[in-house]
Amino acid sequence: MRTPVRPALVVIAHGSRDPRHAATVHALVRRVRSLRPGLRVATGFLDFDAPSVHTVLESLAAEGVRDVVALPLLLTRAFHAKADVPAVLRDAPPRLRIRQADVLGPSPLLLAALERRLREAGVTAADKSSTGVVLASAGSTDPEAIAVIASIAREWRRTGWRAVRPAFASTGSPAGFPPTEEAVRELRGLGCARVAVAPYVLAPGFLPDRIARGARDAGADVLADVLGSGAEVARVVLERYGSAGSAGFAGGRRLLGAGAGAWGSFAQFPAPL
């Protein structure tokens, strides 16, 4: 029996005026390729950086690629995942059959990456019971995204930290999540001997810099680095790709969706991983 060709993976990043953002995205994609040799992986950006998602999809179609898994390089299913990404995929060449994978978070692997970043910043296992952690994300007004961040903080607290408080770099959260500096001060008020700030963001940029300023201004003891291009993040990318690709591409139809599992019933496609 003829083995089906693996769908190409198109990683969709937001983009930033900060060149560190694109450099981190490209480093992550290189790690993904190293973990899965032979998999066709391309990178497109929604804004600021090149190539655009549209340009990447046009290029793949011109090369004869038929099946594509489009993976939003996002941590929560907020506006970009629900609106921006589907909109750009609707303008893809009609010959492409596209399946939108789910966003990266939440995932135990991302919690492992957060823990690793804290260890790299000097927090030891012996420190956990006396340390409060600020889980600092970019921020969102989307109720689903807010609920996910709150859930991650609760689950992480159960692994042994003195306390874990979510915070947003952007303002105006309807859930009442404070900015980083307020969360640091709150943990001090709870009697935490040390306060660490763990950015739940993928790459450097404007909002991560705001998280760092808030941590410094409030006197946090530890500031971890962003998640970046670590092996844990690359493995999540491949997990999301595998889940989307294994669900299948129905014959002849061009398909879009809000995430893995949101597509209804499909003919089975052999798992690409």
Side-chain angles (χ1 to χ4, degrees), residues 51-74:
S52 68
V53 178
H54 182 75
T55 297
V56 169
L57 295 174
E58 289 277 2
S59 178
L60 290 173
E63 293 175 21
V65 172
R66 182 70 184 279
D67 295 324
V68 171
V69 170
L71 188 147
L73 204 61
L74 302 167

Side-chain angles (χ1 to χ4, degrees), residues 21-268:
H21 175 89
T24 303
V25 170
H26 291 310
L28 174 61
V29 170
R30 287 194 297 270
R31 188 179 287 270
V32 169
R33 291 191 183 110
S34 73
L35 292 175
R36 194 65 74 237
L39 175 63
R40 177 66 186 276
V41 187
T43 308
F45 295 89
L46 292 173
D47 205 355
F48 302 116
D49 295 298
S52 68
V53 178
H54 182 75
T55 297
V56 169
L57 295 174
E58 289 277 2
S59 178
L60 290 173
E63 293 175 21
V65 172
R66 182 70 184 279
D67 295 324
V68 171
V69 170
L71 188 147
L73 204 61
L74 302 167
L75 294 174
T76 59
R77 287 193 68 246
F79 181 80
H80 295 307
K82 294 177 179 179
D84 289 345
V85 173
V88 75
L89 294 182
R90 280 193 290 271
D91 290 334
R95 68 161 282 120
L96 293 178
R97 298 187 299 185
I98 302 176
R99 186 173 177 85
Q100 182 178 331
D102 208 353
V103 297
L104 301 183
S107 167
L109 285 168
L110 296 179
L111 274 184
L114 287 168
E115 294 262 357
R116 176 175 57 80
R117 285 306 200 189
L118 285 171
R119 289 195 303 271
E120 291 170 351
V123 180
T124 69
D127 297 323
K128 290 189 75 169
S129 63
S130 61
T131 300
V133 179
V134 176
L135 179 68
S137 65
S140 176
T141 58
D142 184 281
E144 181 181 354
I146 292 167
V148 166
I149 296 299
S151 176
I152 292 171
R154 287 193 300 270
E155 291 300 316
W156 204 15
R157 163 68 181 82
R158 295 183 182 126
T159 67
W161 297 102
R162 170 71 173 80
V164 178
R165 291 290 185 270
F168 279 170
S170 58
T171 58
S173 165
F177 292 165
T180 304
E181 54 270 29
E182 289 185 18
V184 170
R185 295 183 185 111
E186 179 185 349
L187 290 174
R188 291 281 189 218
L190 290 176
C192 295
R194 302 180 82 198
V195 176
V197 174
Y200 188 61
V201 291
L202 285 168
F206 175 76
L207 291 178
D209 284 350
R210 181 182 286 178
I211 290 171
R213 285 195 302 273
R216 289 192 297 267
D217 291 348
D221 301 289
V222 175
L223 172 63
D225 203 352
V226 298
L227 295 174
S229 58
E232 304 95 339
V233 182
R235 287 170 58 195
V236 178
V237 168
L238 289 170
E239 283 186 358
R240 298 294 185 256
Y241 168 80
S243 296
S246 64
F249 293 80
R253 289 188 294 162
R254 180 164 169 264
L255 305 169
L256 299 174
W263 294 71
S265 177
F266 298 93
Q268 189 66 21

